[in-house]
Amino acid sequence: MNAHPGGSATAAPGTRSRPSRRPARIVTVVASCLALLAAAVVVGVRALGQEPTVTLLANWTGEDENDFRKAVVEPFERKYRIHVDYQGSNAESQVLGADVEAGTPPDVVVLTGPGELAEYARQKHLLPLEDLVDQADFGPSWAMPLADGHVYWFPLKADLKSIVWYPADVGEQERRQAAHRPAAWCVGMGSGATSGWPGTDWIEDILLQRYGPGVYEQWARGALPWRSKQVRTAWTTWRDLVGAGGDPDLVRRALKTPYEAASRPVTARPRGCTLEHQASFIRGRQHAWKDVDGRYEPSARLLLGAPANRAWEVSGDLVVLLHATPAARKLIRYLASADAQRAWSAEQSGFSVHTGVPPAGGTDPDWRRSLALTLRDRRAVHCFDASDAMPPAVRDAFAEAAIEFLAHPGRLDDLLHSLDTLSHTSGLTWLPSVCDRGP
């Protein structure tokens, strides 16, 4: 019998009006003891090494790591009773390289660079995933077979890069004018051990939008010289857009600003900058773009004044397997599942391209829904970030050259010559393809 609102319940015949609370207290104490005992058993089992454990290395730290643990890791641990020993690092490539060299690599790794992963695959550090992952769930541009016919990775999340962000209250004409003023661009080249990659994104996207995916893919595969007219034009176009070698204060700001802080001036009054050429992930984590209701448009329209050619630069966090333990195999299957992909995408950390996951949720804002649909558009051509697809040595040199060029554009010839020389070094591993076929 339910209690009457605002008063005590009427006692049933033969019962006490105020029953003793001792049984409830006893139950509570026993439950607490059992919970503590269970926790102690779990700790003891882990300490004895009896609970299955899988080691996982990825680049999510801080708030991103907490979100990843809650959305993805903890549900896996509860479901399979497998402990995930997670390590997050902003210098993930360096950590993985050191671990591999020491002979103690993690079981599973999430890494952004397919070029780096292709090298590990060539060295037999990666294991094929065909029996664990259905390639059709992601498509050939994301779960890409290498020259040996095996698939070694799949995306846990994806992002779109051929876009420019702007505040919602900035109209089309104002955006067109701002695009030709270097001071209007929010630019930050800093990223710790990987500083310079925001500049490589500019150059890659300009090349893709101006010359199309055929030329882009030739270059990303090492078949088009850095000193070619097309590649050189991409560098000089970026120079003119952001004022490389121009206003010392502007250049200094770009070189010293971390990429995640580049858009902060967009909230100032008057605005310190108006446009940002940056991947889709920046809208999810950047309070600056949230504060000004950031929108986006295809980069081709602003960078080149041309209609979008339905070619998009994309990036992804790619999952690979280094040890085929039972626990690691279960984690791979789980991360490739629609449930895990949906859970991580729901955190707005990126987008899932899994065919079993709806492109966008019913509560997603219009800008996020549009980005998701573009990433899944089968009529469009999606080309993986070229520097991420290049061999690690070339990728790193490219990022360093972007920093040097921003400060000293007159050194372009020397920079391109050095990149050509490095790209022709024997023993480098180049991907067979970086673009999907489109329609």
Side-chain angles (χ1 to χ4, degrees):
M1 181 182 292
N2 293 327
H4 296 291
S8 60
T10 302
T15 62
R16 299 172 59 182
S17 60
R18 297 186 63 185
S20 170
R21 297 179 58 86
R22 180 175 296 176
R25 288 174 177 167
I26 292 174
V27 170
T28 301
V29 170
V30 170
S32 298
C33 290
L34 289 174
L36 290 173
L37 179 60
V41 169
V42 169
V43 171
V45 168
R46 288 181 181 173
L48 294 173
Q50 295 177 3
E51 182 185 63
T53 297
V54 56
T55 53
L56 172 63
L57 172 66
N59 62 2
W60 296 299
T61 61
E63 184 178 345
D64 289 335
E65 177 180 339
N66 292 334
D67 290 343
F68 181 65
R69 287 182 180 275
K70 291 178 182 178
V72 180
V73 172
E74 291 176 7
F76 171 81
E77 291 179 320
R78 288 194 298 268
K79 181 175 181 179
Y80 294 102
R81 300 293 187 266
I82 295 173
H83 173 57
V84 177
D85 184 3
Y86 175 82
Q87 180 182 5
S89 174
N90 291 324
E92 185 185 12
S93 292
Q94 291 79 2
V95 171
L96 178 59
D99 287 348
V100 168
E101 186 174 352
T104 57
D107 299 322
V108 176
V109 174
V110 185
L111 197 68
T112 58
E116 185 173 353
L117 295 178
E119 178 63 18
Y120 281 121
R122 185 183 67 82
Q123 297 171 359
K124 307 300 183 183
H125 292 298
L126 305 187
L127 300 174
L129 301 179
E130 293 95 303
D131 63 332
L132 299 174
V133 178
D134 186 350
Q135 183 182 343
D137 286 341
F138 301 99
S141 62
W142 295 103
M144 181 191 307
L146 294 185
D148 61 3
H150 291 300
V151 173
Y152 291 96
W153 58 76
F154 64 90
L156 182 55
K157 82 174 186 79
D159 280 291
L160 197 65
K161 288 202 165 187
S162 297
I163 54 177
V164 174
W165 294 99
Y166 64 91
D169 62 358
V170 175
E172 181 176 354
Q173 185 60 32
E174 187 177 351
R175 297 198 300 273
R176 299 292 174 269
Q177 295 172 351
H180 297 286
R181 291 188 293 108
W185 288 100
C186 310
V187 182
M189 299 285 280
S191 185
T194 59
S195 292
W197 67 257
T200 69
D201 277 3
W202 275 87
I203 294 163
E204 293 158 6
D205 195 23
I206 291 169
L207 183 73
L208 176 62
Q209 302 307 327
R210 183 181 289 275
Y211 297 107
V215 169
Y216 179 93
E217 185 163 55
Q218 271 191 299
W219 171 61
R221 293 173 52 220
L224 181 69
W226 290 83
R227 285 174 288 181
S228 67
K229 176 184 177 181
Q230 299 95 320
V231 177
R232 180 185 295 273
T233 298
W235 284 79
T236 57
T237 300
W238 179 48
R239 174 198 65 197
D240 297 340
L241 284 166
V242 300
D247 183 342
D249 291 336
L250 199 62
V251 172
R252 189 178 302 111
R253 184 182 74 181
L255 293 174
K256 295 180 66 175
T257 300
Y259 78 92
E260 64 265 30
S263 61
R264 287 178 185 169
V266 81
T267 61
R269 291 292 180 269
R271 285 191 172 116
C273 59
T274 306
L275 307 171
E276 184 176 19
H277 180 269
Q278 188 53 276
S280 53
F281 65 74
I282 207 69
R283 178 64 170 80
R285 72 170 61 172
Q286 275 280 16
H287 292 296
W289 286 120
K290 290 181 180 178
D291 292 342
V292 297
D293 190 15
R295 309 294 177 85
Y296 80 93
E297 69 173 295
S299 57
R301 297 177 189 166
L302 281 178
L303 300 185
L304 305 174
N309 62 13
R310 305 197 72 84
W312 302 87
E313 184 179 10
V314 299
S315 64
D317 290 323
L318 307 174
V319 183
V320 295
L321 177 66
L322 285 83
H323 293 132
T325 66
R329 288 170 65 87
K330 285 184 178 179
L331 181 59
I332 288 289
R333 287 195 180 98
Y334 171 75
L335 294 178
S337 71
D339 287 344
Q341 297 262 328
R342 186 183 300 108
W344 193 214
S345 178
E347 292 296 320
Q348 296 198 1
S349 63
F351 301 86
S352 173
V353 291
H354 191 293
T355 57
V357 178
T363 59
D364 284 339
D366 290 343
W367 63 266
R368 183 170 173 81
R369 189 186 310 275
S370 175
L371 286 168
L373 291 172
T374 299
L375 276 166
R376 302 276 282 272
D377 185 357
R378 293 185 178 274
R379 300 167 299 171
V381 177
H382 300 98
C383 295
F384 214 94
D385 180 303
S387 57
D388 284 346
M390 292 174 180
V394 181
R395 173 200 64 195
D396 296 344
F398 184 13
E400 293 172 4
I403 293 174
E404 178 71 14
F405 177 74
L406 187 59
H408 306 288
R411 299 179 184 174
L412 180 59
D413 287 339
D414 291 338
L415 294 172
L416 296 181
H417 180 269
S418 295
L419 288 167
D420 266 332
T421 301
L422 178 59
S423 296
H424 286 93
T425 303
S426 61
L428 295 179
T429 303
W430 296 88
L431 292 180
S433 175
V434 299
C435 298
D436 57 27
R437 297 182 183 275

